[in-house]
Amino acid sequence: MSMRPDDHRRKWDKKEYERKALDRIYKDTEQQEKDDEAVSREPLKRREFKVDLDSKLGKSVVISKTTPSSQSGGYYCNVCDCVVKDSINFLDHINGKKHQRNLGMSMKIERSSLDQVRERFNLNKKKVEQKAKEKEYDLESRVKAAAANEEKYKEYRKEKKREKKRKHEEAFTEEDDSAADMAALMGFAGFSGGRKNN
């Protein structure tokens, strides 16, 4: 920096600051190389188990001061040793960066090769064909089962109608018998209100 009175602007030593910037870049690259050597994380993989979100659904739990955090209310992550209060946040947690790092995975995805993609397409194609075959066979058996069920249901409805009709007739005959008994007790020939024919 020059301190001449006629020049009031600051002057910077460009060579010195360029050297400092190069030193900083060099140190950063060295640190990154050390980090890469120290922690080699495998790429992100598909989960091979089903996440259990329904086991505690609708259940009550008594929580005291001495209850361990794994048994307290909410969802417990044993990898990160934390409790998450609801299922949406739990899913966010297990799919998040911190949880994946604790599992030993980076958030980078392994690139698939062309052969792997072709293999996956063939596998999915075979699954679809197998489902179609099962569906054809299953459709025939379902049609037969549905026809048999419909026949049983028709028979059941007929039987119900017969039973209802029988009960109605029994009630009607009992009513007639009770009316005749009542008329005999009272000394009437019947309860008909009609005129007598001469």
Side-chain angles (χ1 to χ4, degrees):
M1 240 183 358
S2 68
M3 298 300 284
R4 291 186 316 183
D6 60 333
D7 192 8
H8 64 281
R9 295 189 178 185
R10 278 189 176 179
K11 305 290 182 206
W12 302 100
D13 189 3
K14 291 181 181 177
K15 290 181 182 177
E16 180 185 347
Y17 284 104
E18 189 175 335
R19 185 183 50 78
K20 285 182 179 179
L22 289 174
D23 287 345
R24 189 180 322 120
I25 291 170
Y26 179 71
K27 286 179 183 176
D28 287 345
T29 54
E30 276 185 357
Q31 184 67 27
Q32 191 171 6
E33 287 174 2
K34 286 179 184 177
D35 290 345
D36 290 343
E37 290 174 6
V39 178
S40 60
R41 298 183 186 275
E42 60 186 70
L44 200 59
K45 288 192 293 188
R46 183 178 180 180
R47 194 178 301 120
E48 296 172 355
F49 60 91
K50 186 178 182 294
V51 179
D52 183 27
L53 298 174
D54 299 333
S55 64
K56 292 184 178 182
L57 191 65
K59 295 186 179 178
S60 301
V61 179
V62 177
I63 301 171
S64 65
K65 291 180 182 178
T66 59
T67 304
S69 62
S70 63
Q71 296 174 355
S72 66
Y75 297 93
Y76 178 72
C77 176
N78 53 1
V79 175
C80 303
D81 191 34
C82 65
V83 177
V84 184
K85 294 299 179 186
D86 61 0
S87 60
I88 295 171
N89 287 335
F90 182 66
L91 286 174
D92 286 344
H93 168 74
I94 62 174
N95 291 330
K97 190 182 250 183
K98 179 182 173 189
H99 183 82
Q100 297 301 330
R101 284 234 172 119
N102 288 342
L103 283 174
M105 290 188 220
S106 69
M107 293 302 283
K108 295 177 183 172
I109 300 169
E110 183 180 5
R111 300 225 5 129
S112 300
S113 67
L114 183 62
D115 293 334
Q116 289 174 328
V117 172
R118 284 183 179 155
E119 187 179 317
R120 178 63 76 170
F121 273 130
N122 290 335
L123 181 69
N124 288 339
K125 195 174 186 180
K126 287 178 185 175
K127 283 183 182 178
V128 168
E129 289 172 357
Q130 186 178 6
K131 282 185 180 180
K133 286 180 183 178
E134 289 176 1
K135 214 174 204 178
E136 287 175 10
Y137 174 73
D138 200 24
L139 182 64
E140 293 173 6
S141 63
R142 281 185 175 181
V143 168
K144 290 178 183 175
N149 283 342
E150 192 173 335
E151 195 65 36
K152 286 180 186 177
Y153 183 66
K154 283 181 181 177
E155 189 63 36
Y156 173 75
R157 284 180 58 195
K158 284 181 184 178
E159 187 61 36
K160 277 289 196 186
K161 280 185 180 179
R162 288 183 200 138
E163 188 177 323
K164 189 176 180 181
K165 190 175 182 181
R166 192 171 6 96
K167 284 184 180 179
H168 187 268
E169 287 174 355
E170 287 175 3
F172 189 68
T173 55
E174 286 178 11
E175 195 175 283
D176 285 347
D177 291 344
S178 64
D181 291 342
M182 186 63 73
L185 281 173
M186 298 176 93
F188 299 117
F191 282 113
S192 61
R195 298 185 208 165
K196 289 185 184 178
N197 293 334
N198 292 337

